[in-house]
Amino acid sequence: MARFSNPGKAPLVEQVRLSRSIRGDENSEAKRGHRGEDDETIQFVLYTAERGNTNSLRTLGNLYYWGARGIARDHDLAAQYFHRAAEAGDPHAMVNLAEMLARGIGTPDGKPDHEGALHWFRAGAAKGHVSAQNGLGYLYAYGRGEQKDFVRAFKQFSVAAGNGDADGQYNIGVMYASGMGVRKDAQKAIRYFLLSAMQQHMGALYQLARFYMTGRAGIRKSCSDALRLFKVVAEKGEWGLLLRWA
């Protein structure tokens, strides 16, 4: 089941041009924009963030979350900036903060804060953010912060899926495929996996490959189609998550 974006273990890798400019300034273009807080653009973002600009607050949250543009990764600062933007009503920041709390990233004790995650996912969902709707569904499905409730989970996944969210579509497919809170229905599962796969969702592509490999629920067995999809997943997918839900 798809849940949240993963910050990974290493800072974001950014491409840097390692060449001399026409005038011979060594790596001038490579250095521009990668000087951390000394960069003029970052200083402007810091300036506007301190004056309450929610886009700037969220931008700083992302920079510290990932470790980008020469800024060292700092999840504590990321959480602080996301929290300020969320308090100011930014739905993207609400989702980012909720995901961090749900994972225990940037929390005081390093442990998940599911109650806090629920609060901010609900706030984001109330503003129509599809990732918040999907995040709520995940917490309901696994009883994080509240008692496990498949009915509410299915409802939130359905709202996210109806709004075109690939994770929500995939999660509805998982529920139908496994009979999690609903009657098992492989054909409905395939329908939602197909919708999600059209957006290149790796989990959905993997599940479809398995259907092609075995030839179930009206899908003609095709080793070539299965191999084609497995190849895409192998080249682009997050294997840790895919194996967990295999």
Side-chain angles (χ1 to χ4, degrees):
M1 185 169 286
R3 44 181 190 169
F4 321 119
S5 61
N6 193 336
K9 296 181 180 179
L12 181 68
V13 176
E14 299 177 280
Q15 292 184 341
V16 176
R17 191 174 183 180
L18 300 177
S19 62
R20 294 174 182 269
S21 67
I22 295 175
R23 293 177 300 176
D25 298 330
E26 186 174 2
N27 297 335
S28 59
E29 289 188 32
K31 293 178 180 178
R32 188 179 302 127
H34 292 79
R35 293 182 294 154
E37 294 179 358
D38 292 331
D39 179 71
E40 290 84 354
T41 302
I42 301 300
Q43 288 178 358
F44 176 76
V45 174
L46 285 164
Y47 175 84
T48 53
E50 288 309 309
R51 280 150 184 77
N53 184 285
T54 55
N55 287 333
S56 295
L57 289 166
R58 175 162 39 86
T59 295
L60 288 172
N62 281 316
L63 289 172
Y64 282 110
Y65 183 82
W66 292 101
R69 293 183 66 89
I71 288 180
R73 173 175 288 182
D74 188 326
H75 287 149
D76 291 337
L77 275 176
Q80 291 174 33
Y81 281 117
F82 284 145
H83 191 272
R84 288 176 62 186
E87 288 282 5
D90 185 280
H92 302 291
M94 292 172 182
V95 171
N96 291 342
L97 179 60
E99 291 180 354
M100 291 186 73
L101 293 172
R103 289 178 176 274
I105 299 172
T107 56
D109 57 3
K111 296 179 181 179
D113 177 2
H114 293 127
E115 289 76 14
L118 272 172
H119 170 78
W120 288 113
F121 274 141
R122 283 171 175 156
K127 289 179 173 286
H129 199 294
V130 294
S131 294
Q133 294 157 355
N134 181 72
L136 263 183
Y138 182 88
L139 295 182
Y140 290 148
Y142 289 96
R144 305 289 194 261
E146 281 197 0
Q147 188 173 356
K148 187 181 294 186
D149 190 331
F150 290 133
V151 173
R152 295 171 80 187
F154 187 85
K155 180 180 178 180
Q156 290 299 324
F157 289 147
S158 296
V159 173
N163 287 325
D165 182 59
D167 282 335
Q169 293 163 350
Y170 172 74
N171 285 333
I172 290 289
V174 169
M175 294 189 79
Y176 276 123
S178 62
M180 184 185 291
V182 294
R183 178 175 294 180
K184 219 174 193 181
D185 191 323
Q187 290 186 336
K188 286 184 179 179
I190 291 169
R191 184 187 313 159
Y192 280 100
F193 286 147
L194 283 169
L195 287 171
S196 184
M198 288 174 65
Q199 300 187 60
Q200 293 300 297
H201 191 286
M202 292 298 110
L205 290 167
Y206 177 75
Q207 295 295 344
L208 287 174
R210 295 179 67 204
F211 276 104
Y212 277 120
M213 186 172 63
T214 56
R216 292 179 290 145
I219 285 188
R220 177 180 55 84
K221 184 175 181 178
S222 172
C223 291
S224 60
D225 285 332
L227 181 61
R228 175 177 54 83
L229 294 177
F230 279 138
K231 185 174 183 292
V232 173
V233 174
E235 291 173 346
K236 300 179 181 180
E238 297 182 60
W239 272 102
L241 293 178
L242 294 176
L243 288 174
R244 180 178 176 184
W245 298 112

